[in-house]
Amino acid sequence: MAAADVTQVAERVPTEFRHYWRAAERPGVRTARAVARRVFGMDLLPDEDRVLRFAQGYYDADPLADAFVAEVYMTGGARRARAMLDQALAHGVEAVPDAPEPLVRLFAQIDEEPAWLDRERSALGATVFRRLGVPGLCFAGAGQLVGFTENAGVKPLAMHGGYVGASALYRLMETARFWIDTTEPGGLEPGAPGRAIAVRVRIMHAVIRHRLNRHPEWDHDAWGVPISQSESIGPLVGSAVPLAYGAKVAGLRSTRAEAEALLHFWRHVGHLMGVTPRWFPADLRECLQYLAMFRLSRAFTGGDDTTEIIESYPRAFVPRPGTPLPRRLRDEVNYRAQLGYTRLAIGSLYRRYDMPSPWPWALHPFLQWPVNFAATTLARHDPRAARLLDRYQRWRRQTWWRNGMGDTTPAYTAAETLRR
């Protein structure tokens, strides 16, 4: 089926997602839902209408970015399209001579402030993410692996090839750069690096989707469209409430209001990236329901592709041979710390695959608890301490990035050819 056809079908449900309804009928799940309703006054799962809207969202793409890619990127040349995009990001779309209509429409949506956006709340969410420092980047990076167990999530990565082999570290650190720049103060404002990165990633996803929609291996009936709206929610939600609460094991404190502000921030980022799904969790309760729904929908269908990408993740941080001794020691520590963060972030999933032993480094986050707890507690009660902590964590993130990547500038472009 051609891409134009699949993206117009609004009421389909991918066959692989139907595992959710079978799992929801398990006796243990039904009992847990009944207990939650009685004790907490809430259902563990979203109502059926939201589940259905989410499932149908696997056939929703990003029409504005897709049109730019199809009508400009693929016809006029990638270099020319990227130049126009860069000009529009730096100076506004009106600064692009003879800007094509798809580019104009794309930036009309990017520049439009959605009605639900609370800028102060979004800024607080960015502050919360910065406060998590390097541990936040490491937890977020490893946490992505949970979404790679299903075909809809793992096939674009496997077929594109960016997260395996020699390029794995670059792609992983490219994602970390995205998190750093979007969460810097003012990072989402016009002309800011974070806003530019979000839009470049959006176009990169559209290029990959354009290619995969026409690929004989892509199963639209089973998986929906590549990099769909519903599939794109996962990394945003996972970088919010689960991260804010999970980082508490390292002593990094966040209140419920701060965790929900972080969720609001990533929804703001999603708007720039073209992630405007039929349902996006708005608060802690809805986020927990989303996570439970996601967990029940997992059928572990990714097979060898999942195995390759998950097992490639920790090995991407293995120190390179021939580096000077001081850097070698630093990289050895960073590699083992990554094992600890990964083990905690993905839990029992770690044992399903051939992963390096995380011990004793799985204890590393816990050992940071006293210092982090004291610092975040002081920052909560003293504005000056909060500013100092924010400045320190921003410096630490930049230093960690430079230690790993030097002066590299990520391009956020899709590979010219698919891996297979």
Side-chain angles (χ1 to χ4, degrees):
M1 182 178 290
D5 296 325
V6 243
T7 55
Q8 295 305 313
V9 179
E11 307 306 325
R12 299 171 67 188
V13 172
T15 56
E16 285 200 356
F17 186 84
R18 294 173 189 173
H19 179 268
Y20 165 81
W21 283 287
R22 294 192 295 271
E25 289 303 313
R26 293 172 185 161
V29 174
R30 298 175 69 175
T31 300
R33 294 178 70 183
V35 170
R37 283 192 290 265
R38 180 177 294 272
V39 176
F40 301 109
M42 65 168 282
D43 196 338
L44 288 178
L45 297 176
D47 61 57
E48 190 63 15
D49 177 64
R50 282 179 173 166
V51 174
L52 193 58
R53 280 190 283 156
F54 179 81
Q56 292 169 343
Y58 277 94
Y59 288 97
D60 295 342
D62 180 356
L64 294 174
D66 291 345
F68 173 75
V69 166
E71 299 175 34
V72 181
Y73 194 101
M74 294 298 175
T75 58
R79 180 176 299 179
R80 176 174 172 268
R82 285 197 291 265
M84 288 191 291
L85 184 69
D86 290 344
Q87 180 76 355
L89 287 169
H91 305 289
V93 71
E94 62 279 359
V96 180
D98 300 319
E101 187 59 28
L103 183 67
V104 174
R105 292 198 303 267
L106 176 66
F107 272 82
Q109 182 270 331
I110 291 169
D111 294 336
E112 181 183 8
E113 192 164 294
W116 49 260
L117 178 61
D118 181 333
R119 284 195 165 272
E120 288 188 6
R121 198 177 182 208
S122 177
L124 173 60
T127 301
V128 172
F129 193 93
R130 291 197 303 272
R131 186 194 307 154
L132 302 180
V134 172
L137 299 175
C138 297
F139 276 127
Q144 292 184 106
L145 301 179
V146 176
F148 298 159
T149 61
E150 312 307 303
N151 279 314
V154 76
K155 288 297 182 186
L157 297 173
M159 296 166 74
H160 185 253
Y163 278 72
V164 296
S167 64
L169 179 63
Y170 173 82
R171 288 297 182 187
L172 294 169
M173 295 299 285
E174 188 178 57
T175 304
R177 188 75 249 170
F178 165 82
W179 286 321
I180 292 171
D181 285 349
T182 53
T183 56
E184 281 291 286
L188 302 185
E189 296 300 315
R195 185 175 184 269
I197 286 175
V199 176
R200 289 191 183 104
V201 170
R202 178 178 185 173
I203 299 305
M204 179 177 71
H205 287 170
V207 171
I208 295 172
R209 182 164 48 246
H210 179 90
R211 292 169 177 164
L212 294 187
N213 261 330
R214 291 154 175 78
H215 197 286
E217 189 177 332
W218 189 266
D219 189 339
H220 290 98
D221 289 332
W223 312 329
V225 298
I227 317 180
S228 67
Q229 289 286 323
S230 291
E231 187 61 37
S232 299
I233 296 176
L236 300 175
V237 174
S239 299
V241 174
L243 177 62
Y245 280 90
K248 290 187 176 187
V249 302
L252 295 158
R253 301 180 66 186
S254 297
T255 65
R256 174 173 179 167
E258 289 173 334
E260 291 181 343
L262 185 53
L263 182 66
H264 191 77
F265 168 79
W266 286 117
R267 187 181 183 187
H268 185 186
V269 175
H271 168 75
L272 299 173
M273 297 179 69
V275 184
T276 54
R278 306 181 189 200
W279 171 53
F280 192 98
D283 53 29
L284 177 62
R285 176 177 173 275
E286 290 188 6
C287 188
L288 293 175
Q289 290 176 330
Y290 165 84
L291 293 170
M293 177 190 67
F294 171 75
R295 184 176 182 85
L296 289 183
S297 70
R298 289 165 64 193
F300 296 92
T301 56
D304 291 342
D305 288 331
T306 294
T307 300
E308 181 182 37
I309 287 180
I310 289 182
E311 292 180 358
S312 291
Y313 181 84
R315 293 177 173 87
F317 296 95
V318 172
R320 300 182 183 92
T323 56
L325 181 59
R327 174 165 183 171
R328 174 82 182 193
L329 293 175
R330 184 189 65 211
D331 291 350
E332 291 283 358
V333 171
N334 180 57
Y335 163 60
R336 285 163 176 77
Q338 291 292 336
L339 299 181
Y341 289 122
T342 304
R343 176 62 180 85
L344 287 176
I346 67 175
S348 60
L349 191 64
Y350 198 97
R351 296 196 298 270
R352 283 175 173 255
Y353 299 97
D354 179 19
M355 306 284 268
S357 172
W359 303 103
W361 290 88
L363 301 175
H364 171 65
F366 297 99
L367 297 178
Q368 302 175 60
W369 193 93
V371 173
N372 288 336
F373 183 84
T376 50
T377 300
L378 183 60
R380 181 174 295 181
H381 299 287
D382 184 343
R384 194 175 108 175
R387 289 192 297 271
L388 289 173
L389 179 61
D390 186 64
R391 188 183 305 169
Y392 171 75
Q393 295 290 38
R394 290 171 62 196
W395 172 80
R396 278 287 298 121
R397 298 193 311 176
Q398 299 290 356
T399 301
W400 177 80
W401 163 265
R402 287 193 299 272
N403 287 345
M405 299 301 291
D407 297 326
T408 301
T409 301
Y412 301 100
T413 56
E416 292 301 318
T417 57
L418 293 174
R419 185 179 175 216
R420 64 174 191 255

